[in-house]
Amino acid sequence: MPDTPSVTAPVIVADDPGAFPHGVLAERHPAVVRQVRDAFPFDPERLRALDALLASCADGVVESLPADADPTGRDRDRWARWGMDAYAGRSWYDVPWLWAESHFYRRLLDAVGYFGPGAWQGVDPFRPAKLAELDAPETDEELAALDGLDRLTADERTRALLHGSLWGNRADLGFRLSDQGVGAQGAVEALVADDSDTLWSLLPAPGPGPTGRGPATLCLVADNAGRELVPDLLLVSHLLAEGRVDRAVLHVKPYPYYVSDATPTDVLDALRRLVAAGGAAAAHGERLWTALTDGRVTVRAHPFSCAPLPYADMPDDLREGFAAATVTVLKGDLNYRRLVGDRWWPPTTSFAQVTAYFPGPVAALRTLKSDVVTGLDARTEAALEASGERRWRTSGRHALIQVRR
């Protein structure tokens, strides 16, 4: 299946030493290896494996998965289907950047013994950082801000929680978007595309009498754990409470991925954090806990969530789930790259066109942290290019809400 319906652009690779993707492979990945190495008292075998991966980041090549890292063989078979035979033996910098990044994190899990037999099997190498973020004072401040949302109208609360989910660990900024305080104007101006009205038209709030719609299902494809997952859960809780959705399916990663991506364990940690916070945060946490137990909220961890491929290549069972949803919301930069294809699109390329393959209505909530972007109008692109901000595509200072009905 092609990764776009009828248009194309060059695939992003990391072979340009001055480009953002090259910096990720050459600088960020070695830093991740060192962070993981320092966070655990690994045995000599694991330390040697991490050092070998560190050396590979500098001048190595893509290697096949070792047989002892996947006792069942299922993951090796998946990676064979996902392109391993085509890319093994080639430089990290000469294969598609999305593929190289994904394979790096799979190799990191091998190095720490995540899949193989032994004491480190199943231990999330990023868990200390995730828990530290949940326990940070900033998280307390963001959760305390929820208590002030009661003074807003229902529509203002909905908008504030949407922006909290959009901005992730800048959620406190999102909670204030409906106020007149300092910071609201800057955050709104940072939106380079805003289809939020279209999103709400897909999930109308029921009024008095018949609503004119059947049961509404939201699929939310999560991005990061910690302080970025919390506002995603708050948004789901709010939509359930307001009757905008009847059921939600939360898609997370089946195993640790891209440093901070959310797994089922991270969902539980975030829920416990909400319940322990007291006040409005606890009410949200208890609502979600109940919704999980009665089936209104489901957590799904599909293997394709960790695939080095665009969503255009999704398997049939995942396609069927998205097709059945009223709308699928994909969170974060990585999911955006997989949704539109990790390519050098002209920024004015139609978002609707490059997502036409998706099996149902789809929305993207994303802060810009990589080069790929679509769906901007010509005036916005011109203003960004004229702003003097050289790295507006990757700085995380801009965001978008895009919807294709």
Side-chain angles (χ1 to χ4, degrees):
M1 180 182 299
D3 62 356
T4 57
S6 59
V7 293
T8 191
V11 172
I12 296 176
V13 294
D15 57 350
D16 179 356
F20 180 75
H22 189 280
V24 170
L25 294 187
E27 300 170 16
R28 184 183 300 174
H29 285 182
V32 169
V33 175
R34 296 186 189 100
Q35 173 187 326
V36 169
R37 196 183 191 282
D38 293 342
F40 291 90
F42 287 121
D43 56 75
E45 180 184 2
R46 301 272 68 84
L47 293 176
R48 284 193 296 271
L50 286 166
D51 289 343
L53 179 57
L54 192 61
S56 179
C57 290
D59 55 8
V61 298
V62 172
E63 298 178 10
S64 298
L65 299 180
D68 61 355
D70 177 25
T72 68
R74 287 193 296 269
D75 205 38
R76 285 170 57 85
D77 291 343
R78 278 192 290 263
W79 276 90
R81 294 194 303 272
W82 292 345
M84 179 61 72
D85 293 343
Y87 299 135
R90 295 173 59 181
S91 166
W92 292 96
Y93 299 91
D94 294 336
V95 303
W97 182 43
L98 175 65
W99 202 97
E101 278 196 287
S102 297
H103 186 60
F104 164 79
Y105 284 103
R106 182 58 180 81
R107 288 274 304 278
L108 179 61
L109 292 182
D110 286 338
V112 299
Y114 184 87
F115 290 105
W120 300 104
Q121 186 178 45
V123 175
D124 183 347
F126 311 123
R127 186 163 170 76
K130 293 175 178 177
L131 292 177
E133 186 176 278
L134 272 182
D135 292 338
E138 293 85 355
T139 306
D140 291 323
E141 296 171 9
E142 290 162 5
L143 295 180
L146 289 168
D147 294 333
L149 293 185
D150 286 345
R151 68 178 183 271
L152 305 179
T153 67
D155 285 345
E156 288 172 335
R157 284 196 301 273
T158 299
R159 181 171 177 270
L161 289 166
L162 176 68
H163 282 270
S165 179
L166 170 66
W167 288 105
N169 61 7
R170 291 168 62 185
D172 58 328
L173 188 63
F175 292 150
R176 297 186 179 97
L177 281 176
S178 295
D179 288 340
Q180 300 302 314
V182 174
Q185 183 179 359
V188 173
E189 289 178 350
L191 278 177
V192 295
D194 185 3
D195 295 339
S196 52
D197 288 344
T198 304
L199 177 60
W200 301 134
S201 74
L202 294 168
L203 298 172
T211 64
R213 67 164 174 84
T217 298
L218 167 71
C219 278
L220 195 150
V221 184
D223 184 31
N224 291 332
R227 288 170 58 207
E228 296 194 34
L229 180 60
V230 166
D232 295 344
L233 295 176
L234 294 173
L235 179 62
V236 170
S237 171
H238 176 75
L239 295 177
L240 286 169
E242 294 293 309
R244 287 182 179 265
V245 301
D246 304 286
R247 180 172 177 266
V249 182
L250 181 66
H251 288 257
V252 296
K253 305 298 190 296
Y255 50 78
Y257 192 59
Y258 277 61
V259 180
S260 57
D261 283 22
T263 67
T265 298
D266 298 317
V267 174
L268 295 176
D269 288 338
L271 281 176
R272 293 189 179 105
R273 184 68 173 86
L274 285 172
V275 171
H284 282 287
E286 290 161 2
R287 180 183 299 120
L288 290 165
W289 197 283
T290 299
L292 282 161
T293 62
D294 65 25
R296 286 177 296 138
V297 174
T298 304
V299 176
R300 190 174 187 193
H302 195 285
F304 190 76
S305 296
C306 293
L309 302 173
Y311 278 106
D313 295 335
M314 74 181 86
D316 289 342
D317 61 331
L318 194 57
R319 176 176 292 273
E320 291 167 3
F322 291 148
T326 307
V327 62
T328 297
V329 175
L330 289 96
K331 276 294 310 297
D333 196 76
L334 175 60
N335 281 322
Y336 188 83
R337 293 164 59 194
R338 297 185 69 196
L339 175 64
V340 303
D342 202 32
R343 294 174 174 269
W344 288 108
W345 299 112
T348 56
T349 302
S350 166
F351 175 77
Q353 189 174 9
V354 296
T355 59
Y357 72 88
F358 203 84
V362 62
L365 303 184
R366 176 233 184 172
T367 55
L368 277 61
K369 297 178 182 177
S370 67
D371 289 298
V372 63
V373 63
T374 68
L376 302 189
D377 61 49
R379 180 179 297 181
T380 299
E381 181 193 9
L384 287 165
E385 292 292 346
S387 68
E389 185 182 352
R390 267 193 336 118
R391 299 191 178 275
W392 63 264
R393 293 172 179 251
T394 61
S395 67
R397 296 185 185 130
H398 302 280
L400 54 80
I401 300 171
Q402 292 175 323
V403 182
R404 194 222 73 213
R405 295 182 66 94

